[in-house]
């Protein structure tokens, strides 16, 4: 389809939201970053790191694809868990297309079975993406694809390795063809609708998980308190890391402050690469008891506070 404007003929644009759903650690964040070609959402070995619907934005041919990287869907126990699962499914129902990700190595386990059963009720075209195919023999991949397609109808099936990029271009091309006709919703040079303050907090939170993935539970969050663009083109950022107990604060600080210094250095280096300017990062650690039950914290993370 083409549109004629002022004597010139241009191809019509397409634009749509694509939700990625799947169990924790299936590779949704890695796939978002591979599709966008830049880091817009944190990737961690820890499950449940994507707390809000951080969007990556892709331009492919004449289409703008807005990727909704939902929290991993799991069996919720705590209030925060329930909020994240609710957010994930609302993202799926509100999108134009849904990509259901399966881990090639894990296959259809109890979590994947539950996701496939519930995804069948989503009234949009659904695409099956089998990730981490480099870890599994071809015969097992074909059997997994057949088993998943027997459980529900998929418009397309892709077998990829998000971490190496194998198969990612094919998904990008297909999504561009499948999103509905319409004008772009974001500027062409924008990669994410997450404000830089939020992305900076996410990056620091990722570094905390990388350093303390065995020692620190999920009761931690990071907030960007100040963001100052200085005359010398550098950026001064102040962030607070909130934990629930004094014992956790000591873990984050480390002996003689060594751990917090290492976290800060890693976060600052990545922020400098993204912003392409010098970054002065100052981290503080505070105890905020029961922050997981505070509605204000949920609003800041972009998820709905569950009342029960």
């Amino acid at each position: 389809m083409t549109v004629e404007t002022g004597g010139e003929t241009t191809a019509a644009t397409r634009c749509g939201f694509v939700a990625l759903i799947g169990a924790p650690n299936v590779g949704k964040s890695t796939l978002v970053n591979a599709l966008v070609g830049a880091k817009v959402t944190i990737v961690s070995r820890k499950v449940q790191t994507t707390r809000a619907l951080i969007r990556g934005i892709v331009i492919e041919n004449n289409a703008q694809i807005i990727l909704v990287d939902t929290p991993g869907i799991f069996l919720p126990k705590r209030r925060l868990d329930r909020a994240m699962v609710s957010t994930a499914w609302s993202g799926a129902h509100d999108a134009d297309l849904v990509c259901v990700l399966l881990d090639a190595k894990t296959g259809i386990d109890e979590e994947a079975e539950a996701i496939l059963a519930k995804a069948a009720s989503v009234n949009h075209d659904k695409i099956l993406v089998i990730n981490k195919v480099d870890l599994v023999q071809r015969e097992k991949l074909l059997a997994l694809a057949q088993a998943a397609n027997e459980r529900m109808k998929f418009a397309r099936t892709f077998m990829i390795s998000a971490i190496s990029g194998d198969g990612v271009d094919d998904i990008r091309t297909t999504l561009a063809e499948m999103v509905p006709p319409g004008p772009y919703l974001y500027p062409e040079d924008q990669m994410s609708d997450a404000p830089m303050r939020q992305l900076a907090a996410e990056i620091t939170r990722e570094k905390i998980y990388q350093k303390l993935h065995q020692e620190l539970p999920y009761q931690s969050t990071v907030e960007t308190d100040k963001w100052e663009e200085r005359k010398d083109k550098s950026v001064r950022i102040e962030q607070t890391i909130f934990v629930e107990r004094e014992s956790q604060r000591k873990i984050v600080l480390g002996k003689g402050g060594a751990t917090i210094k290492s976290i800060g250095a890693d976060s600052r280096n990545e922020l400098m690469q993204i912003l392409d300017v010098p970054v002065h990062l100052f981290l503080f650690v505070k105890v905020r008891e029961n922050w997981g039950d505070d509605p204000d914290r949920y609003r800041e993370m972009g998820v709905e506070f569950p009342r029960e």
Side-chain angles (χ1 to χ4, degrees):
M1 177 181 175
T2 57
V3 175
E4 192 169 308
T5 56
E8 296 181 0
T9 302
T10 59
T13 58
R14 310 178 76 87
C15 182
F17 290 83
V18 179
L20 281 68
I21 64 172
N25 280 344
V26 77
K28 297 183 300 299
S29 296
T30 306
L31 178 57
V32 168
N33 292 334
L35 287 167
V36 175
K39 184 163 188 171
V40 294
T41 173
I42 66 170
V43 180
S44 171
R45 291 171 294 175
K46 276 281 197 181
V47 299
Q48 306 168 33
T49 52
T50 307
R51 288 182 173 166
L53 302 181
I54 299 175
R55 297 174 175 89
I57 302 169
V58 182
I59 300 291
E60 178 73 10
N61 296 325
N62 292 304
Q64 185 173 67
I65 307 160
I66 304 160
L67 300 165
V68 183
D69 178 27
T70 64
I73 297 173
F74 51 94
L75 300 175
K77 297 181 178 66
R78 298 170 302 144
R79 190 192 294 269
L80 177 60
D81 297 341
R82 294 195 297 275
M84 290 163 60
V85 170
S86 174
T87 299
W89 282 115
S90 68
H93 284 284
D94 292 343
D96 297 294
L97 301 170
V98 174
C99 288
V100 179
L101 271 74
L102 293 180
D103 186 318
K105 198 170 183 181
T106 305
I108 302 178
D109 57 6
E110 184 182 3
E111 279 185 315
E113 193 81 67
I115 290 167
L116 288 169
K118 193 161 184 177
S121 67
V122 177
N123 294 321
H124 313 302
D125 280 342
K126 291 170 282 286
I127 296 167
L128 175 63
V129 179
I130 300 176
N131 190 24
K132 308 180 186 180
V133 297
D134 48 324
L135 305 178
V136 176
Q137 292 181 338
R138 179 175 173 79
E139 292 76 17
K140 186 178 178 182
L141 291 172
L142 294 174
L144 175 58
Q146 182 177 346
N149 276 275
E150 286 172 354
R151 283 163 172 78
M152 62 183 291
K153 183 180 179 182
F154 288 102
R156 296 286 301 274
T157 296
F158 292 92
M159 299 186 185
I160 70 162
S161 171
I163 198 163
S164 71
D166 186 30
V168 172
D169 288 347
D170 292 337
I171 293 180
R172 190 187 298 111
T173 301
T174 298
L175 293 178
E177 294 169 351
M178 292 182 70
V179 293
Y184 289 179
L185 298 177
Y186 294 92
E188 289 190 42
D189 60 352
Q190 188 170 338
M191 294 185 300
S192 173
D193 76 344
M196 280 308 305
R197 293 170 70 109
Q198 180 184 338
L199 181 59
E202 290 289 287
I203 287 171
T204 298
R205 190 156 64 90
E206 177 189 36
K207 305 311 175 189
I208 295 170
Y209 285 148
Q210 289 175 348
K211 295 288 182 185
L212 301 169
H213 58 95
Q214 295 297 332
E215 302 163 72
L216 193 68
Y218 289 115
Q219 287 89 336
S220 64
T221 188
V222 179
E223 294 178 11
T224 300
D225 305 310
K226 291 185 180 179
W227 182 291
E228 179 190 357
E229 297 182 5
R230 308 173 77 173
K231 291 181 180 179
D232 62 1
K233 305 297 184 183
S234 68
V235 175
R236 177 190 170 93
I237 303 170
E238 293 184 13
Q239 295 179 331
T240 301
I241 301 166
F242 289 102
V243 294
E244 288 199 317
R245 293 189 293 276
E246 178 61 27
S247 60
Q248 296 170 357
R249 192 180 79 90
K250 291 177 180 177
I251 290 172
V252 176
L253 290 172
K255 189 174 181 180
T259 302
I260 192 72
K261 288 178 183 175
S262 178
I263 291 167
D266 289 350
S267 183
R268 183 176 63 250
N269 288 337
E270 182 155 333
L271 284 166
M272 285 195 295
Q273 291 177 21
I274 292 172
L275 298 172
D276 200 27
V277 296
V279 171
H280 309 284
L281 177 63
F282 299 86
L283 299 180
F284 307 91
V285 188
K286 295 181 180 179
V287 176
R288 178 190 277 161
E289 293 184 3
N290 300 320
W291 74 264
D293 295 322
D294 183 349
D296 288 340
R297 305 285 81 76
Y298 286 72
R299 280 192 287 273
E300 287 167 6
M301 292 188 293
V303 297
E304 187 174 340
F305 180 75
R307 293 297 169 183
E308 298 181 357

